[in-house]
């Protein structure tokens, strides 16, 4: 069964109120995506990975993925599209603070893409907007999406490609064109109509109790 963004938000809230905190959901989402990525690309020890992270929970998922891939031996760079002080969720901030203690992950902030000039990556992870799209995509997100699509490398979207409306399947004029999308808990209703930008879709459970769906579905 596919669900809407509104339904997913209510299910997450119900799970959180039950005691399965959003911090756990984010950890499990990032861990599941990293595991799926390793299964897809094999040994990542020789891989250079770039994570684009927005300031919300989609970015937080990306930060968890960065930590897990670093633990698997990948060379990981994270570009936060803004400043750490402007991170919008406690869970995302918590994971950023953790990465700041890890010398194994290169952290860039502010969304300045010039830092990436002349660098090449084997995998780029889109943790920019996720399901949180509304209206026209602004900077620095727009330039990040353009950079991703022009990179000519493996592109992995977290939850949904940034720029895709997960309820309608309609793509913004700027939308990540992913090879692979790892979405969480259940497929979002618009995604089956947008396989051209989602690429191969994987649905990963993240530990939300089935009871959290009661009254929602």
């Amino acid at each position: 069964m596919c669900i809407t963004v509104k339904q997913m938000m209510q299910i997450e809230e119900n799970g959180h109120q039950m005691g399965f905190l959003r911090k756990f959901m984010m950890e499990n989402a990032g861990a599941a995506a990293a595991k799926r990525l390793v299964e897809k690309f094999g040994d990542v020890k020789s891989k250079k990975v770039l994570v684009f992270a927005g300031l919300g929970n989609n970015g937080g998922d990306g930060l968890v993925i960065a930590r897990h891939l670093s633990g698997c031996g990948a060379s990981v760079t994270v570009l936060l599209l803004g400043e750490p002080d402007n991170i919008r969720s406690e869970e995302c901030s918590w994971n950023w603070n953790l990465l700041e203690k890890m010398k194994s992950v290169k952290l860039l902030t502010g969304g300045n893409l010039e830092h990436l000039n002349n660098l090449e990556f084997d995998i780029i992870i889109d943790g920019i907007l996720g399901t949180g799209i509304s209206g026209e995509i602004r900077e620095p997100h727009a330039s990040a999406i353009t950079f991703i699509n022009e990179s000519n490398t493996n592109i992995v979207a977290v939850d949904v490609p940034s720029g895709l409306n997960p309820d309608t399947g309609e793509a913004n004029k700027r939308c990540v064109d992913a090879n692979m999308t790892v979405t969480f808990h259940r497929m979002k209703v618009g995604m089956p109509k947008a396989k051209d930008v989602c690429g191969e879709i994987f649905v990963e459970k993240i530990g939300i109790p089935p009871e959290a769906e009661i009254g929602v579905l």
Side-chain angles (χ1 to χ4, degrees), residues 176-205:
V176 167
D177 188 4
N179 306 109
M180 165 182 166
T181 299
V182 184
T183 196
F184 307 117
H185 189 66
R186 289 184 184 273
M187 182 90 73
K188 312 311 176 290
V189 289
M191 294 177 72
K193 308 171 195 171
K195 290 183 178 176
D196 55 328
V197 296
C198 291
E200 192 173 7
I201 301 172
F202 298 92
V203 182
E204 299 292 342
K205 294 293 185 183

Side-chain angles (χ1 to χ4, degrees), residues 144-208:
I145 290 172
T146 299
F147 179 94
I148 291 171
N149 289 342
E150 292 177 352
S151 65
N152 194 31
T153 191
N154 298 297
I155 300 168
V156 180
V158 180
D159 209 7
V160 299
S162 293
L164 177 70
N165 185 316
D167 285 339
T168 66
E170 294 177 2
N172 194 287
K173 64 181 180 181
R174 291 187 191 260
C175 182
V176 167
D177 188 4
N179 306 109
M180 165 182 166
T181 299
V182 184
T183 196
F184 307 117
H185 189 66
R186 289 184 184 273
M187 182 90 73
K188 312 311 176 290
V189 289
M191 294 177 72
K193 308 171 195 171
K195 290 183 178 176
D196 55 328
V197 296
C198 291
E200 192 173 7
I201 301 172
F202 298 92
V203 182
E204 299 292 342
K205 294 293 185 183
I206 57 173
I208 295 174

